[in-house]
């Protein structure tokens, strides 16, 4: 029996029609590399072949009334690929604006929980003659790293790459458990929770004073609820806006080497420079740094087995208040050094351990009340946006025979923080996906177009 971890399940419990918690990936493709040329029928045939081998694409939630623990994953015995794969055309003239608007519409729709939690849209009719794929997967089933790995299972190093080699015994999910087994497993988990809580509390009590003290003294990451308020920070609906940009990885590395900082420092400097221009053009540039939540993978640090999401996060100051691009890089290098050290004070498994106590009814009621009362606009801002940096493939990949020309991740937004910027390295490029709450930021293209300007600014300011 494969039960969801508390962290995985929390993405189900916190989801509403306005706060949808799936992740998307917009993949642009050159279909001419497919043997014999692109055809939807062949694309779907190859996809079906791989989906039969990869159990993550065929698992669905099982959560009957007698289940007192978190839901479990089971094999969908009635799996039908036609429910998940759709062929659509982008409206004329098929340029980036129409493509982004179509993706935004799809990104705002909830996934059907009675089926495996993913959808794939093959988008034809692009102005450049290419095709695009938008894949949508629930955050309960993937994080950034595991999501990229699943896409890699569908891809190969050549147009005619064979399907992944997966052992027969690993190709199926668990069957639906019996009523008694499910109830017994759930009760055993619930009974252990008070003991688990007693074990966790001393570490938390010991950690919090020192952690907060370091933050308040300016020796760690920013303190939550201290971010400046912008128009990005309010109550969201289910409407979304999307944009994307592509940069040269070599230019990013040139900046990294010139300033002797990390790639992540450069990424945050790029985002800071673009946000500074974007907010200034809107007449709302705050005098204080913005605060971003930066998700961090703990796949290599965790001691917990199972679960799809192995993540933590830290708060990062984005120096949008500094006009000098070089000063922004140096600010970030020092601030990130402190934030990362501060973040490592927290055990890699602490978030996952505490998430085990998440409760569906309590979380659901809390989110709906928070939204209905528009509380995000009535208390100090926790953070302004989410910025993720996900490592991607260093070499060109072919998705079911079609060469990937762009891989733009689109992460979720939340009440109080209506912008997500996710960066992914991809075969010598840096692909940036931007997703926003449409009522808070209707047009993201000015921000996307400010990213190349921010990179040019950093290259010009880089020490010789």
């Amino acid at each position: 029996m494969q039960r969801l971890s508390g962290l995985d399940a929390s993405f189900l419990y916190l989801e509403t029609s306005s706060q949808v918690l799936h992740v998307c990936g917009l993949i642009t493709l050159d279909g001419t590399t497919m043997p014999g040329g692109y055809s939807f029928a062949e694309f779907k045939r190859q996809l079906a072949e791989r989906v039969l081998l990869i159990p993550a694409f065929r698992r669905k939630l099982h959560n009957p009334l007698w289940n007192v623990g978190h839901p479990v994953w089971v094999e969908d015995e009635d799996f039908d690929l036609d429910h998940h794969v759709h062929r659509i055309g982008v409206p004329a003239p098929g340029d980036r604006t129409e493509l982004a608007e179509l993706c935004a519409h799809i990104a705002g729709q909830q996934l059907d929980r009675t089926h495996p939690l993913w959808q794939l849209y093959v988008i034809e009719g692009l102005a450049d003659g290419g095709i695009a794929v938008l894949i949508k997967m629930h955050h309960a089933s993937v994080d950034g790293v595991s999501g990229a790995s699943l896409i890699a299972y569908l891809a190969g190093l050549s147009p005619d790459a064979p399907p992944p080699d997966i052992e027969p015994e690993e190709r199926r999910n668990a069957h639906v458990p019996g009523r008694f087994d499910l109830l017994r497993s759930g009760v055993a988990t619930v009974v252990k929770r008070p003991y688990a809580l007693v074990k966790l509390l001393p570490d938390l009590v010991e950690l919090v004073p020192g952690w907060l003290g370091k933050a308040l003294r300016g020796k760690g990451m920013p303190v939550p609820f201290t971010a400046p308020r912008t128009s990005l920070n309010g109550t969201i609906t289910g409407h979304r806006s999307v944009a994307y940009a592509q940069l040269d990885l070599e230019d990013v590395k040139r900046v990294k080497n010139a300033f002797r900082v990390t790639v992540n420092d450069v990424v945050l400097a790029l985002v800071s420079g673009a946000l500074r221009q974007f907010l200034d053009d809107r007449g709302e540039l705050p005098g204080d740094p913005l605060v971003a939540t930066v998700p961090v993978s703990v796949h290599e640090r965790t001691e917990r087995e199972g679960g799809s999401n192995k993540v933590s996060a830290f708060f990062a100051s984005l120096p949008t208040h500094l006009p000098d691009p070089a000063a922004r890089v140096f600010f970030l290098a020092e601030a990130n050094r402190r934030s990362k050290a501060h973040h490592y004070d927290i055990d890699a498994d602490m978030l996952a351990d505490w998430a085990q106590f998440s409760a569906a009814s309590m979380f659901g009621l809390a989110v709906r009340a928070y939204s209905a009362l528009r509380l995000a606009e009535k208390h100090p801002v926790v953070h302004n946006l989410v910025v993720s940096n996900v490592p991607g493939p260093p070499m060109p990949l072919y998705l079911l025979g079609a060469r990937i020309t762009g891989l733009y991740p689109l992460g979720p937004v939340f009440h109080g923080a209506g912008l997500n910027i996710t960066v992914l390295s991809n075969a010598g490029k840096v692909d940036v996906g931007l997703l926003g709450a449409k009522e808070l930021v209707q047009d993201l293209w000015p921000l996307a177009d400010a990213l190349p300007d921010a990179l040019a600014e950093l290259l010009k300011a880089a020490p010789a």
Side-chain angles (χ1 to χ4, degrees):
M1 185 185 306
Q2 186 182 0
R3 191 177 293 277
L4 275 71
S5 71
L7 186 55
D8 293 345
S10 66
F11 287 106
L12 297 172
Y13 305 156
L14 292 170
E15 184 174 53
T16 66
S17 59
S18 58
Q19 186 170 275
V20 289
L21 295 180
H22 47 248
V23 294
C24 299
L26 171 61
I27 309 171
T28 55
L29 302 169
D30 177 5
T32 64
T33 63
M34 292 183 66
Y38 165 75
S39 77
F40 175 74
E42 176 61 17
F43 190 91
K44 186 177 178 182
R45 185 196 68 78
Q46 291 193 44
L47 177 62
E49 186 178 36
R50 284 160 172 77
V51 164
L52 288 177
L53 299 175
I54 305 168
F57 286 108
R58 302 186 320 276
R59 65 184 184 182
K60 69 175 184 178
L61 295 170
H62 182 59
N63 191 31
L65 291 175
W66 53 86
N67 179 35
V68 296
H70 299 309
V72 297
W73 293 116
V74 298
E75 181 79 13
D76 183 1
E77 301 293 349
D78 299 317
F79 179 80
D80 183 353
L81 189 64
D82 287 337
H83 179 81
H84 299 274
V85 180
H86 311 278
R87 183 187 190 186
I88 55 178
V90 67
D95 62 16
R96 67 174 194 171
T97 302
E98 282 75 29
L99 177 59
E101 287 178 356
L102 179 59
C103 292
H105 174 71
I106 296 170
Q109 300 174 6
Q110 284 183 276
L111 288 163
D112 183 351
R113 295 190 184 183
T114 63
H115 297 279
L117 295 177
W118 66 277
Q119 295 279 309
L120 186 146
Y121 296 80
V122 179
I123 305 171
E124 301 172 350
L126 299 183
D128 63 2
I131 56 175
V133 164
L134 183 72
I135 186 166
K136 180 164 69 170
M137 307 188 76
H138 203 282
H139 221 318
S141 62
V142 294
D143 60 14
V145 173
S146 57
S149 297
L150 279 178
I151 292 176
Y153 276 127
L154 301 178
L157 298 177
S158 64
D160 56 354
D165 184 17
I166 298 176
E167 296 296 328
E169 63 271 15
E170 298 176 356
R171 295 178 185 177
R172 283 188 64 83
N173 300 287
H175 293 291
V176 175
R179 181 178 301 192
F180 177 74
D181 290 337
L182 185 61
L183 182 62
R184 181 181 59 184
S185 171
V187 169
T189 301
V190 171
V191 167
K192 291 177 183 177
R193 284 181 181 173
Y195 173 71
L197 181 63
V198 169
K199 287 184 63 178
L200 289 173
L201 271 174
D203 289 340
L204 183 65
V205 170
E206 181 180 350
L207 171 71
V208 168
W211 191 92
L212 280 177
K214 186 180 287 188
L216 292 170
R217 293 193 303 272
K219 296 184 177 180
M221 67 182 75
V223 180
F225 297 99
T226 61
R229 183 167 292 280
T230 73
S231 60
L232 303 174
N233 307 116
T235 302
I236 66 174
T237 71
H239 302 125
R240 298 291 177 262
S241 53
V242 163
Y244 53 90
Q246 188 170 74
L247 309 169
D248 283 326
L249 180 58
E250 190 58 39
D251 287 340
V252 171
K253 289 182 177 179
R254 193 174 299 133
V255 174
K256 172 188 80 77
N257 294 333
F259 284 101
R260 297 183 180 181
V261 295
T262 67
V263 169
N264 196 55
D265 293 334
V266 179
V267 165
L268 292 178
L270 283 170
V271 170
S272 299
L275 281 168
R276 175 181 170 82
Q277 180 179 328
F278 178 72
L279 292 173
D280 194 32
D281 289 345
R282 288 161 64 108
E284 55 174 293
L285 180 65
D288 294 321
L290 297 187
V291 176
T293 292
V294 181
V296 178
S297 171
V298 296
H299 279 258
E300 296 180 356
R301 295 170 52 205
T302 183
E303 296 180 359
R304 304 292 180 265
E305 295 184 359
S308 301
N309 285 271
K310 299 183 185 300
V311 296
S312 183
F314 69 88
F315 293 108
S317 290
L318 301 184
T320 49
H321 64 304
L322 298 178
D324 180 16
R328 291 198 292 268
V329 176
F330 293 128
F331 176 100
L332 279 163
E334 177 59 22
N336 286 342
R337 183 191 63 77
R338 292 196 306 265
S339 292
K340 288 174 183 176
H342 195 195
H343 173 255
Y344 269 79
D345 289 345
I346 303 174
D347 185 88
D349 294 313
M350 178 170 283
L351 179 60
D353 289 343
W354 279 98
Q356 288 298 116
F357 301 100
S358 57
S361 56
M362 181 183 70
F363 274 37
L365 286 172
V367 173
R368 285 167 175 77
Y370 189 84
S371 174
L373 297 172
R374 304 185 73 88
L375 295 182
E377 296 150 25
K378 298 176 182 178
H379 62 68
V381 177
V382 180
H383 63 144
N384 298 108
L385 72 157
V386 177
V387 181
S388 298
N389 184 17
V390 181
M395 74 292 288
L397 290 182
Y398 296 80
L399 182 66
L400 306 175
R403 184 172 65 86
I404 295 176
T405 58
L407 184 52
Y408 306 99
L410 303 168
V413 290
F414 304 87
H415 289 298
L419 176 62
N420 184 301
I421 301 177
T422 305
V423 180
L424 184 142
S425 57
N426 171 36
K429 301 292 183 180
V430 174
D431 295 337
V432 187
L434 301 92
L435 184 139
K438 193 168 187 177
E439 282 80 4
L440 303 181
V441 52
Q442 185 168 4
D443 185 6
L444 278 169
W445 285 114
L447 180 55
D449 292 339
L451 287 163
D453 295 340
L455 180 55
E457 197 176 37
L458 289 173
L459 286 168
K460 184 177 179 180

